[in-house]
Amino acid sequence: VNIAVLVSGSGSNLQAVIDACENGHINGRIKIVISNREEAYGLQRAKDASINAVFEKDEKRVIDIIEGEDIDLVVLAGYLKILSPDFIKRFENKIINIHPSLIPSFCGKGYYGKIVHQKAIEYGVKLSGATVHFVNEEPDGGPIILQRAVPVYDEDNADSLQKRVLEIEHELIVDAVKLYCDGKLKIVGRRVHTNGK
Ligand code: GRF
């Protein structure tokens, strides 16, 4: 399975997928990493792993690059841009995204990065976590593939919660990409079956 990963930041989720492909856990190959931010450390991680790393802000050119690479799966790993309906149409049910909350809580327009954890703390939730989902035209609204929860403690702040959530994001993104590459994901209505049936 040929994978493209889109990043905007440090790329720690990308790194988890790179490692899992390198050690054979994921039966897939990252063919390209694209970022809309030139200084994204995720591009450096790609270069260090001898993966084609491209800085491209124009979405039309991003689409052309992906289509040129014969990609089977697009992974959004901290990609801070909303994809156009055209992009989503072209890669229908081949785009997955990781979001640092238990969707449908604390998601959608304006909920990204530390803001998500700040809102969870302010709300006073006892559990937060991460979600991997297929991307559709509703920001963070596509069919959910996997979720994992973490406890929120009284003394937590956005930083301590983000750190705890990020650790399970790295597990979740690898598990979701592996399920996809193993052909185990089946969308039935709004639900994603992960047993292949
Ligand atoms: C992660 O928290 C991810 O859920 C959110 O942005 C952050 C990206 O982190 N979308 P990284 O660039 O993968 O380290």
Side-chain angles (χ1 to χ4, degrees):
V1 174
N2 290 332
I3 303 165
V5 184
L6 275 50
V7 299
S8 298
S10 69
S12 68
N13 279 287
L14 162 69
Q15 191 63 58
V17 179
I18 288 174
D19 297 347
C21 290
E22 280 180 351
N23 70 24
H25 180 65
I26 290 176
N27 176 21
R29 180 175 157 229
I30 301 174
K31 290 198 70 181
I32 190 161
V33 172
I34 305 172
S35 181
N36 62 319
R37 290 183 49 227
E38 195 163 24
E39 69 285 358
Y41 188 63
L43 290 176
Q44 187 55 50
R45 291 180 194 267
K47 288 173 197 157
D48 294 348
S50 312
I51 297 169
N52 188 3
V54 174
F55 162 57
E56 180 53 69
K57 292 180 85 79
D58 180 297
E59 190 185 89
K60 284 183 185 47
R61 279 205 282 275
V62 170
I63 291 173
D64 291 344
I65 292 167
I66 292 174
E67 286 183 334
E69 290 279 347
D70 181 27
I71 294 298
D72 307 299
L73 172 63
V74 179
V75 178
L76 308 183
Y79 190 62
L80 297 181
K81 272 183 84 172
I82 301 292
L83 301 183
S84 69
D86 180 40
F87 191 128
I88 292 164
K89 223 118 232 51
R90 285 167 186 254
F91 302 103
E92 185 98 43
N93 295 331
K94 293 183 174 181
I95 311 172
I96 67 175
N97 178 51
I98 183 152
H99 180 77
S101 78
L102 295 175
I103 289 174
S105 297
F106 312 116
C107 69
K109 215 160 160 31
Y111 282 93
Y112 56 87
K114 200 154 290 177
I115 295 166
V116 174
H117 306 294
Q118 194 52 50
K119 295 287 184 188
I121 299 270
E122 284 164 11
Y123 195 98
V125 296
K126 299 298 184 175
L127 289 175
S128 192
T131 302
V132 182
H133 62 92
F134 280 109
V135 172
N136 64 12
E137 303 195 358
E138 175 65 31
D140 300 326
I144 290 171
I145 298 169
L146 292 174
Q147 294 189 298
R148 199 159 296 169
V150 298
V152 183
Y153 299 116
D154 300 346
E155 64 279 3
D156 268 328
N157 58 28
D159 288 323
S160 58
L161 180 55
Q162 179 172 46
K163 189 170 168 304
R164 190 172 310 120
V165 171
L166 204 51
E167 278 167 24
I168 51 115
E169 286 182 50
H170 298 156
E171 298 165 7
L172 222 54
I173 191 75
V174 166
D175 292 350
V177 172
K178 176 169 176 51
L179 284 168
Y180 187 98
C181 293
D182 292 346
K184 291 275 179 42
L185 299 180
K186 197 165 178 317
I187 301 179
V188 182
R190 254 210 69 93
R191 188 176 180 83
V192 179
H193 291 192
T194 55
N195 58 8
K197 300 183 185 78

